Amino acid sequence: MRTWHEMRRFPLAVRLLLVNQFGVNTGFYLLIPYLATHLTENLGLSAAVVGVVLGVRNLSQQGLFLIGGSASDRLGARGVIIAGCALRTLGFALFALGDGLAVLLAASVLSGVAGALFNPAVRAYLAQEAGERRAEAFALFNVFATTGALVGPLLGSVLLLVDFRTSALTAAGIFAVLTVAQALVLPARRAEPSGSTVLGDWREVLGNRAFLAFALAMVGMFTLENQLYLLLPAGAREATGWDGAAGIVFLVGTVANLALQLRITRSLKARGSRGRWIATGLTVMGLAFLPPAFLPGIVPVLAGALLLYVGVMIAQPFVMELIPGFGRPELTGTYFGIFYVVSGVAAALGNTAVGWAMDTGERGAAWLPWLCCACMGLASALGVAWLHRLHALPASPAPDVPTPAGERSKA
């Protein structure tokens, strides 16, 4: 009830973007986790080809976040969000309707480009529309995203009892509904000119040393978040011998998120600086990997998952809140775009390192991947604490937040 009450206090645009994120994660996770199995078992593709198809999607998304962010600044976030959801609709529909390699690659590219468009645009729009209540808005955003990430795989597993095509068409249908809803309801916001070229905007953001240092310091957060889909589910399955144990990890996180996210954000917002709480959240995320490292069984794994979710709940809303404060409001999308390029590369490298540690740990050092993750989290916490000590972080959201779109004439 607290979540719904808080949600209703925001403008219509923010409420729609929150529901949009629930739909985005539901549609994504009901399809993508099962895509590799479909490509290998149903279509008979080799592991190498499957790797190419999945890799093209990741590369298309991570490599083009900067384009999506710049487009949001120059064309307006609303149009970029709608275009991204429309492309995701088309991409997922192609997964359902085609089985040739060319069609599959096209579907992967479209799906990846779609994410590169709407991810930074949604966050830029949300940051601008929420004004001084950015932290609460991003806390709610995290709640809806986490809930969608739980509902999606559950719905996908049910739809797969019919066939993969039904699952893919359902995912495409969800994005089609989101596209129409945003086109009809999402208020237009006039893009403010930056006074420079696109390359000039990029140089300005990349020349912001404090921002780049912060983005690099946050490498640990994104790497550890990714372990909700790699190391922790693997640990749960190993501890129980049951494939479905991975679902318990997501259930624990979703329940905790619904119960605690808003309480945590609102309580911490009134106490201390953002940098302090981000460092605290990263520390909790790092410590989350110690119980499974040294204690056997499913309980330490679930305890670690709960701690990881709590750490994300502490840090993430304030991270999202601070990003626009590093620069001019006209470049909010570009800042988010570059931030997510850095995080995408970091997550890929981090997952590679954790995967190596998992393989190595099978030869008598089962604690190795867990300890590796703990070190990453603590290193990131130290990095943010150092930046906070140097007063390199914005103390609060940028004061000159544009007027909410609902108070302007609609385009």
Side-chain angles (χ1 to χ4, degrees):
M1 292 297 293
R2 180 185 294 269
T3 299
W4 292 109
H5 175 72
E6 187 70 24
M7 177 182 173
R8 293 180 64 182
R9 296 176 59 196
F10 281 97
L12 176 61
V14 173
R15 299 200 299 268
L16 179 61
L17 291 176
L18 296 176
V19 174
N20 175 79
Q21 191 60 28
F22 170 77
V24 164
N25 276 16
T26 299
F28 182 85
Y29 286 106
L30 79 82
L31 175 67
I32 295 300
Y34 307 105
L35 180 57
T37 302
H38 167 68
L39 296 177
T40 54
E41 296 185 1
N42 297 340
L43 301 185
L45 299 180
S46 68
V49 174
V50 171
V52 170
V53 173
L54 298 180
V56 163
R57 192 202 68 79
N58 281 324
L59 183 61
S60 299
Q61 180 162 317
Q62 306 295 347
L64 295 178
F65 272 135
L66 182 53
I67 303 299
S70 291
S72 172
D73 289 334
R74 292 184 166 268
L75 305 176
R78 176 181 179 271
V80 177
I81 294 169
I82 294 170
C85 282
L87 285 178
R88 181 64 63 83
T89 301
L90 180 57
F92 281 5
L94 285 177
F95 277 129
L97 302 176
D99 54 12
L101 182 57
V103 175
L104 293 173
L105 289 174
S108 289
V109 170
L110 288 173
S111 300
V113 171
L117 290 176
F118 63 66
N119 274 326
V122 164
R123 286 157 178 80
Y125 198 118
L126 193 66
Q128 293 168 339
E129 196 75 18
E132 295 181 357
R133 299 182 63 219
R134 287 178 188 158
E136 290 90 340
F138 281 112
L140 284 170
F141 191 81
N142 193 25
V143 170
F144 279 83
T146 301
T147 305
L150 173 67
V151 172
L154 295 176
L155 179 58
S157 64
V158 172
L159 291 172
L160 283 174
L161 296 176
V162 182
D163 58 19
F164 179 82
R165 176 170 294 184
T166 300
S167 182
L169 288 176
T170 301
I174 290 173
F175 278 96
V177 170
L178 294 177
T179 303
V180 173
Q182 290 162 65
L184 294 177
V185 180
L186 194 63
R189 175 186 287 278
R190 185 172 65 88
E192 299 292 340
S194 69
S196 180
T197 63
V198 172
L199 291 178
D201 292 345
W202 295 355
R203 282 194 296 269
E204 179 177 336
V205 177
L206 291 173
N208 189 327
R209 294 183 179 179
F211 169 70
L212 289 184
F214 178 69
L216 291 172
M218 294 310 302
V219 161
M221 187 179 84
F222 290 98
T223 300
L224 299 193
E225 263 194 295
N226 270 264
Q227 303 320 306
L228 290 168
Y229 310 102
L230 179 62
L231 183 58
L232 283 163
R237 287 190 292 267
E238 183 177 345
T240 62
W242 175 45
D243 287 342
I248 303 177
V249 171
F250 298 114
L251 180 61
V252 166
T254 302
V255 172
N257 200 275
L258 287 168
L260 300 175
Q261 176 68 87
L262 276 173
R263 288 182 173 89
I264 289 173
T265 301
R266 295 178 72 174
S267 175
L268 298 184
K269 183 179 178 181
R271 298 177 176 87
S273 66
R274 307 299 191 261
R276 171 188 170 188
W277 294 124
I278 293 171
T280 300
L282 289 167
T283 300
V284 173
M285 292 176 70
L287 295 177
F289 292 87
L290 295 182
F294 301 110
L295 298 173
I298 186 63
V299 173
V301 173
L302 293 180
L306 179 58
L307 279 175
L308 181 57
Y309 273 103
V310 170
V312 172
M313 284 188 272
I314 293 171
Q316 193 175 70
F318 297 127
V319 172
M320 297 295 104
E321 181 190 36
L322 281 190
I323 290 172
F326 279 99
R328 297 184 288 141
E330 295 84 4
L331 298 181
T332 296
T334 304
Y335 272 94
F336 273 110
I338 290 179
F339 185 79
Y340 275 97
V341 169
V342 173
S343 69
V345 173
L349 295 176
N351 278 342
T352 301
V354 173
W356 170 84
M358 291 172 70
D359 291 338
T360 304
E362 291 178 354
R363 298 192 289 270
W367 48 266
L368 182 60
W370 305 98
L371 195 59
C372 178
C373 288
C375 291
M376 289 182 186
L378 295 177
S380 280
L382 287 173
V384 173
W386 178 68
L387 291 173
H388 173 59
R389 185 179 179 84
L390 293 178
H391 303 289
L393 303 178
S396 61
D400 51 344
V401 177
T403 304
E407 299 177 11
R408 300 186 181 196
S409 59
K410 296 181 181 180

